[in-house]
Amino acid sequence: MAPTPGSQAVLFSGHMIDRQDRDTPRFPTEKVPAAANRIACTVDDLEPAADDLAVSGAACGGDLLFADTWLSRGCRLEVVLARPISEYLAESVRFAGAEWEQRFEWVVNHPSVRVEALPSGTERPHQQAARRMLDVAVAVPDRELVGVFLWDRRPGDGPGGTAALVDAVSDAGGRVVVIDPADLDLAAT
């Protein structure tokens, strides 16, 4: 049964696309079209309404694919960045190329987006950003919490990653939807 319109808070977290020097592939660039398609189908299954809220980061990969899909459905998005914009771009977007930087700029400047960036020098910025994302998602009462995760079901590269948010959403009583990059069929795009 789908929730009533305006009754969802959707938290998204997902892997960045793999850096060229990544030892073990997790989300290779060739899976981006399949991931975008699966994220779009997942968002459509949620039947988002204009009053629904989503919360996400804006890293290259899952975050920006989700943001693009969510915004194209006419819904509002809260973006939480682990660092100030210039630092975040350098750490989590720019390495992937100009296309991802353009996507980032489009998202953070979209009129339906509110951006919150943690200050420079924040201790454990990724953990703090993950906690803030959850706080924003649960702040509005009487909404179903749904966590959508582009995640390989393994521990993260460091603290505050997708695995921690999966546990936090589950602990908060939310519904968890996992899109595993290993399950993405390249032929389906």
Side-chain angles (χ1 to χ4, degrees), residues 13 23-24 62 66 75 79 93 100 104 107-108 111 132 137 148 156 169 180 184 188-189:
S13 181
D23 291 333
T24 305
F66 172 81
C75 300
V79 171
V93 179
W100 289 99
F104 175 87
V107 167
V108 300
R132 181 65 186 141
V148 178
V169 167
D180 188 333
L184 296 174
T189 59

Side-chain angles (χ1 to χ4, degrees), residues 7-88:
S7 66
Q8 299 178 95
V10 179
L11 188 153
F12 181 89
S13 181
H15 294 313
M16 291 192 302
I17 60 169
D18 292 343
R19 293 178 185 268
Q20 290 182 351
D21 61 351
R22 184 169 180 84
D23 291 333
T24 305
R26 182 169 66 182
F27 182 30
T29 57
E30 63 266 14
K31 290 199 174 191
V32 167
N37 184 51
R38 183 73 61 84
I39 289 168
C41 289
T42 300
V43 167
D44 288 342
D45 288 346
L46 294 173
E47 298 179 14
D51 290 343
D52 286 338
L53 170 69
V55 184
S56 179
C60 63
D63 290 353
L64 289 173
L65 295 174
F66 172 81
D68 181 52
T69 297
W70 188 259
L71 292 168
S72 73
R73 302 318 188 259
C75 300
R76 59 195 175 101
L77 176 66
E78 300 266 343
V79 171
V80 178
L81 305 178
R83 303 185 188 287
I85 287 178
S86 62
E87 293 176 30
Y88 191 87

Side-chain angles (χ1 to χ4, degrees), residues 120-141:
S120 191
T122 299
E123 284 190 49
R124 302 181 321 275
H126 297 285
Q127 288 174 300
Q128 296 296 328
R131 181 69 220 176
R132 181 65 186 141
M133 287 171 55
L134 182 62
D135 289 347
V136 169
V138 300
V140 180

